[in-house]
Amino acid sequence: MALSEFGLIQDYFADLDLGCAQVIKGVGDDCALLAAPKPGYQLALSTDTLIGGVHFPGQAPADCLAERALAVNLSDLNAMGAEPYAFTLAITLPTADADWLAGFARGLGKQALAYNIPLVGGDTTRGPLAINIHIVGQVPQGQALLRSGASVGDSIYVAGTLGDAAAALQLIKSGDLENSDAPYLLQRFYCPEIDFSLGAALRGIATSAIDVSDGLLADLSHILTASRVGAVINVDDLPQSPELLRVGGRQQALDWALGGGDDYRLCFTMAAKYANALSRQGFQIACIGHIVEGEGLRCQTANGETFPPARSGYLHF
Ligand code: ADP
Ligand code: MG
């Protein structure tokens, strides 16, 4: 890697700064230099690492991987109500394979352009495949969506559908890629769409927010802990795609929607009175329960019976 490192960076990663005005100096110096954010804004920073074989199947297409790596980081910004500003990429590669790198750079460039976020620097090393992205966003001062603001009486919402990515992983694992629902589900896994207009619309309205990366139960629990409240979830109200239901059947689909990770949907709490206005603006949001006093999370069915979930999300350790 040592000999070709600089050529590699130059060939694949130097041109993804998109000519954005905030980039004073991008790839090629000791640090990237960025203009300070707009007056009245704060910076939001986050980082996420994808490890081959852990966070994605070993043989995943390079362009899909790049899109997903950036998407999961963008999702963190959105869950904070922040907008994209810049990102860096630290990549560890087993070999410098030109085809793989070209695919990766193509996917990354496509995604960066779609969300108008420049790649401003990074690090390149040799080793088992790992992709680390460090992302920078900006958010109006004092308006970031925190995990800690949920209060008793708030309703709990999810944007879009849950469980699709877990179903996709199942299709990949079982090799059932000819399944007619595979294209939709794989797209949801590899390229979760991040809706920044929703994150922005939730500023000043939502009392808390998180993106669903480890599974609804696990991630909602983070809100509950940070906010020192409990929740009741109605499992019959979980938004599920027809594709998920066809692939999993009712029981399995519910398990995926509750415990499956990788969906990168927003889960947030707010007063129910705001829901109609958001729906009228075209946001697909579903009320899945409400915040209660105490601690912990209780799942129930539409007729009020307690529903015991099969698992509580993906825990790394
Ligand atoms: P240094 O030794 O100062 O850390 P490097 O040799 O690691 O510098 O990197 C040279 C330049 O290329 C730096 O501007 C760095 O940010 C950038 N860079 C390295 N790897 C990547 C990458 N994978 N993607 C984008 N920029 C990169
Ligand atoms: Mg370096």
Side-chain angles (χ1 to χ4, degrees), residues 5 122-124:
E5 179 184 337
D123 198 27
T124 305

Side-chain angles (χ1 to χ4, degrees), residues 69-260:
L70 187 49
V72 306
N73 280 276
L74 289 164
S75 178
D76 281 323
L77 289 188
N78 197 30
M80 208 72 186
E83 56 192 50
Y85 201 58
F87 74 103
T88 60
L89 164 72
I91 189 163
T92 307
L93 297 165
T95 55
D97 180 295
D99 284 346
W100 194 94
L101 277 161
F104 187 88
R106 189 176 58 243
L108 196 64
K110 184 178 144 207
Q111 189 79 319
L113 194 61
Y115 292 92
N116 195 31
I117 184 166
L119 173 64
V120 296
D123 198 27
T124 305
T125 50
R126 189 197 287 270
L129 181 59
I131 302 156
N132 170 263
I133 285 178
H134 188 102
I135 201 163
V136 184
Q138 56 180 356
V139 59
Q141 193 155 352
Q143 290 188 44
L145 306 171
L146 307 181
R147 296 178 178 184
S148 51
S151 59
V152 175
D154 285 348
S155 292
I156 304 168
Y157 295 85
V158 165
T161 56
L162 291 171
D164 294 330
L169 271 178
Q170 174 60 37
L171 291 181
I172 294 168
K173 260 191 232 152
S174 64
D176 189 10
L177 299 178
E178 300 304 308
N179 190 303
S180 58
D181 291 315
Y184 166 83
L185 294 169
L186 292 183
Q187 172 76 8
R188 286 280 305 117
F189 175 74
Y190 279 123
C191 200
E193 252 176 61
I194 311 303
D195 184 358
F196 279 100
S197 61
L198 178 58
L202 292 179
R203 295 198 292 250
I205 291 179
T207 52
S208 72
I210 193 168
D211 61 326
V212 178
S213 55
D214 292 335
L216 176 69
L217 295 180
D219 290 315
L220 179 55
S221 290
H222 294 317
I223 285 184
L224 302 182
T225 305
S227 303
R228 301 166 187 271
V229 291
V232 176
I233 294 292
N234 300 311
V235 296
D236 292 312
D237 291 336
L238 294 180
Q240 293 164 303
S241 68
E243 291 84 353
L244 173 81
L245 288 163
R246 276 196 296 269
V247 165
R250 191 176 173 279
Q251 237 6 75
Q252 177 66 82
L254 196 50
D255 180 30
W256 282 334
L258 281 169

